Amino acid sequence: QVQLVESGGGWVQPGGSLRLSCAASGSISSSSIMGWYRQAPGKERELVAVIFTAGTTRYADSVKGRFTISRDNAKNTVYLQMNSLKPEDTAVYYCNYRRGSLDAWGQGTLVTVSS
């Protein structure tokens, strides 16, 4: 079992920045894929960014150049640095952990971008 706890969400004006954190506990392995997804009101959950074991990253086109995903394996934590935020980035952001057949999700943290 893996437990994920997100933090760092909140309200920010357009153009602002936030950093999300996701702390993992339980049967953790650095040989895993961790990622951030988001779900806006009335929309389906979508991939934001993922980071693989070796540190390779992938981003949704909508966040490339603005968001950065990173992980600290010693702390079992993954981060999402979000810069130049736009109103369309408003969503609940979820952390995800995958290793083999194990697929765990956090409870989500709300990010609201508005003036």
Side-chain angles (χ1 to χ4, degrees):
Q1 291 284 354
V2 171
Q3 294 77 44
L4 304 173
V5 178
E6 301 105 332
S7 60
W11 173 82
V12 64
Q13 291 185 335
S17 298
L18 283 175
R19 189 176 83 151
L20 305 183
S21 299
C22 172
S25 61
S27 302
I28 302 300
S29 170
S30 59
S31 300
S32 58
I33 300 171
M34 295 193 74
W36 289 94
Y37 292 72
R38 67 187 181 187
Q39 187 166 17
K43 295 187 177 181
E44 294 189 353
R45 191 173 298 188
E46 64 176 2
L47 172 69
V48 176
V50 292
I51 184 165
F52 298 87
T53 302
T56 304
T57 57
R58 295 287 185 269
Y59 297 91
D61 288 343
S62 59
V63 307
K64 282 181 180 177
R66 301 188 297 122
F67 291 11
T68 302
I69 189 171
S70 61
R71 65 192 292 173
D72 184 335
N73 290 328
K75 295 182 178 180
N76 294 326
T77 300
V78 64
Y79 305 95
L80 185 68
Q81 178 66 43
M82 305 186 294
N83 299 327
S84 302
L85 282 160
K86 305 175 181 180
E88 50 264 44
D89 295 317
T90 295
V92 177
Y93 284 69
Y94 296 91
C95 179
N96 176 253
Y97 175 98
R98 294 184 181 180
R99 187 181 81 248
S101 60
L102 180 58
D103 186 7
W105 293 88
Q107 81 287 352
T109 185
L110 177 63
V111 172
T112 303
V113 185
S114 71
S115 54

